[in-house]
Amino acid sequence: MGRRVIADDVVKGILAGYDPEKVVIAAYCSHSSLQIFHGAKREGFRTLGIHERRKDVRYYDAFPAAKPDEFFPMDSITDILDRQDELIEKNVILIPHGSLVEYLKVPNFEKLRLPTFGNKAVLAWESDRSAQREWLVGGGLLMPMEVKDPRDIDRPVLCKQGGAKGGRGFFIAKSHSDWVKAISEGDLKAEDYTTIQEYILGTRYYLHFFYTPLRDDGFRVGEGRLELMSMDRRDETNIDEMYKLGSQTELKDMDIYPSFVVTGNIPLVIRESLLPKVFQMGEGVVNKSIELFGGMVGSFCLETVITDKLDFFTFEISARIVAGTNPYPTGSPYAAYMEDNISTGQRIAREIKEAIRMGALESILS
Ligand SMILES: Nc1ncnc2c1ncn2[C@@H]1O[C@H](COP(=O)(O)OP(=O)(O)O)[C@@H](O)[C@H]1O
Ligand SMILES: [Mg+2]
């Protein structure tokens, strides 16, 4: 059986015109771009930083090993749709990350012809929380229980808005009256809160995986290999520091409410005895993705909470490089046990290099 192809005919045609010797790795200047450029340079690629003209890119001067060889300024990120021919001319392969997808918006990102790392078909399953649930639960993962109707809130729940807003605007409720109060006092729109989810008490682990369809050794999954690159915990303001000021009830009286705005990432390792469960979850997600949409390729992250019964509850998946990999530009406590101790950014570049050598870009780009 031949290797699965994820590129459509348009992307295949564009790739056919690329000079394999002159491939340029591009990323949007934010999120994990330092790591992506650093990794690509280490693998010998030229790099290009796409940014909005108003963005201050001077900080790259402070990090020469991670500064793109060339900048590509635009008035607005959505101009990339009109200007992709210029990028195609330069033999560009785009490495997408969460900020690019968020700012460009999913429908625009899906329209890109510019060869992009990973399978774009994942977006239909990732960008909608109920489709995500079907995928993850279908892959055998536990998820926090969902409350369909706010009148049924009978335990602590987290009320979430749609789309990746970095936890902005979320609130915790413990009863229906809490919900009504939060909506009315915060002047919020009830219909924005499309997900009401059981609040899982435990420790948070954000697990960073890499799935390669190009290798059939190591931890075999589907037709390829599953790798565990690293893990992190998000630093979230103000929830992570709230306890210092008193109980949440006390704080409510002062009009202070928890928020979940990500400000950074903390490196982590997990108890070794939990690794079998970690791989089981990664495997379930990959296998189900192959069944649902032809398979995820490359980096993905499972966002989990582990309870004191040592059960993992997954509340979200992100199907590309996450900023949680940034603490590991020169490798992680897991990458150290693999062939080479490298970052996720470098792992992506190496995958592209390998695919060029094998003539298999159509299997990792879409
Ligand atoms: N069910 C849950 N139980 C406990 N904490 C949660 C739950 N779901 C999300 N969180 C917390 O809220 C944060 C943001 O939630 P998430 O669903 O990842 O939204 P976003 O799309 O903004 O990343 C998480 O990083 C985590 O700290
Ligand atoms: Mg999240």
Side-chain angles (χ1 to χ4, degrees):
M1 199 171 67
R3 193 169 288 110
R4 196 183 300 275
V5 169
I6 58 169
D8 63 17
D9 289 343
V10 176
V11 172
K12 271 197 254 178
I14 292 166
L15 285 174
Y18 271 20
D19 179 347
E21 302 283 310
K22 292 200 178 131
V23 163
V24 174
I25 302 272
Y28 179 55
C29 289
S30 190
H31 191 271
S32 48
S33 74
L34 287 168
Q35 194 201 146
I36 293 169
F37 298 139
H38 176 246
K41 281 161 162 291
R42 283 186 156 204
E43 291 296 310
F45 284 105
R46 254 190 85 73
T47 50
L48 178 139
I50 297 168
H51 67 95
E52 298 190 317
R53 232 176 277 282
R54 64 172 182 273
K55 160 103 180 178
D56 181 358
V57 290
R58 226 184 114 210
Y59 70 93
Y60 289 95
D61 290 340
F63 306 115
K67 182 183 172 178
D69 298 306
E70 183 186 348
F71 283 103
F72 191 84
M74 290 180 303
D75 292 329
S76 153
I77 182 62
T78 41
D79 292 351
I80 196 174
L81 286 171
D82 296 328
R83 297 188 57 191
Q84 48 189 332
D85 286 338
E86 292 169 56
L87 295 167
I88 290 167
E89 193 94 354
K90 293 177 190 284
N91 294 275
V92 159
I93 292 177
L94 178 67
I95 315 300
H97 53 57
S99 299
L100 174 81
V101 179
E102 176 63 18
Y103 299 143
L104 187 56
K105 304 272 178 274
V106 172
N108 289 325
F109 179 68
E110 283 175 320
K111 266 187 241 152
L112 277 180
R113 289 179 286 118
L114 181 65
T116 301
F117 184 63
N119 189 353
K120 286 205 195 84
V122 71
L123 281 145
W125 291 91
E126 182 197 15
S127 55
D128 172 287
R129 286 199 195 264
S130 55
Q132 229 186 67
R133 181 171 284 269
E134 188 183 332
W135 173 15
L136 299 181
V137 171
L141 276 65
L142 275 177
M143 288 192 77
M145 196 195 72
E146 224 183 321
V147 178
K148 293 271 181 248
D149 185 327
R151 280 170 300 200
D152 296 334
I153 300 174
D154 62 353
R155 64 191 75 190
V157 292
L158 189 58
C159 305
K160 305 184 182 187
Q161 293 182 310
K165 302 261 182 316
R168 217 170 270 277
F170 288 14
F171 66 88
I172 296 172
K174 300 188 191 76
S175 60
H176 182 231
S177 62
D178 261 9
W179 156 276
V180 173
K181 212 165 142 212
I183 294 283
S184 67
E185 286 179 3
D187 206 11
L188 309 172
K189 286 201 198 87
E191 62 273 20
D192 287 346
Y193 289 84
T194 42
T195 301
I196 304 174
Q197 199 174 73
E198 181 180 10
Y199 191 94
I200 306 290
L201 186 58
T203 47
R204 291 173 294 123
Y205 285 76
Y206 299 70
L207 312 167
H208 319 141
F209 295 93
F210 191 93
Y211 178 69
T212 170
L214 304 182
R215 299 290 295 258
D216 57 7
D217 53 355
F219 193 93
R220 305 254 345 238
V221 173
E223 295 136 17
R225 173 171 96 183
L226 182 65
E227 301 168 12
L228 177 66
M229 299 302 298
S230 50
M231 42 189 88
D232 81 297
R233 195 179 72 221
R234 306 268 165 85
D235 218 4
E236 292 173 332
T237 181
N238 55 24
I239 181 97
D240 288 347
E241 293 295 327
M242 263 193 125
Y243 67 96
K244 290 180 183 164
L245 278 180
S247 71
Q248 289 196 8
T249 330
E250 276 175 87
L251 295 179
K252 257 187 198 168
D253 292 338
M254 294 190 272
D255 248 353
I256 302 177
Y257 294 89
S259 57
F260 297 80
V261 179
V262 180
T263 52
N265 303 85
I266 305 164
L268 272 188
V269 288
I270 206 163
R271 276 172 70 165
E272 188 168 325
S273 58
L274 292 172
L275 283 178
K277 275 192 190 170
V278 167
F279 277 96
Q280 214 175 50
M281 291 192 296
E283 178 171 38
V285 166
V286 171
N287 280 335
K288 193 68 192 177
S289 78
I290 294 171
E291 185 189 317
L292 291 174
F293 55 85
M296 241 185 336
V297 168
S299 329
F300 67 100
C301 172
L302 296 177
E303 306 186 2
T304 72
V305 182
I306 310 176
T307 65
D308 56 5
K309 305 231 164 32
L310 300 181
D311 289 323
F312 283 83
F313 284 85
T314 303
F315 53 84
E316 196 171 45
I317 183 169
S318 174
R320 59 198 60 72
I321 185 170
V322 290
T325 58
N326 288 339
Y328 309 105
T330 53
S332 79
Y334 297 101
Y337 308 135
M338 296 192 252
E339 286 159 357
D340 265 321
N341 188 13
I342 60 174
S343 71
T344 291
Q346 189 172 351
R347 182 67 190 83
I348 291 170
R350 188 168 289 184
E351 185 77 350
I352 292 170
K353 203 156 101 177
E354 189 125 308
I356 291 174
R357 190 180 51 77
M358 297 164 77
L361 281 175
E362 304 172 345
S363 295
I364 63 162
L365 307 178
S366 66

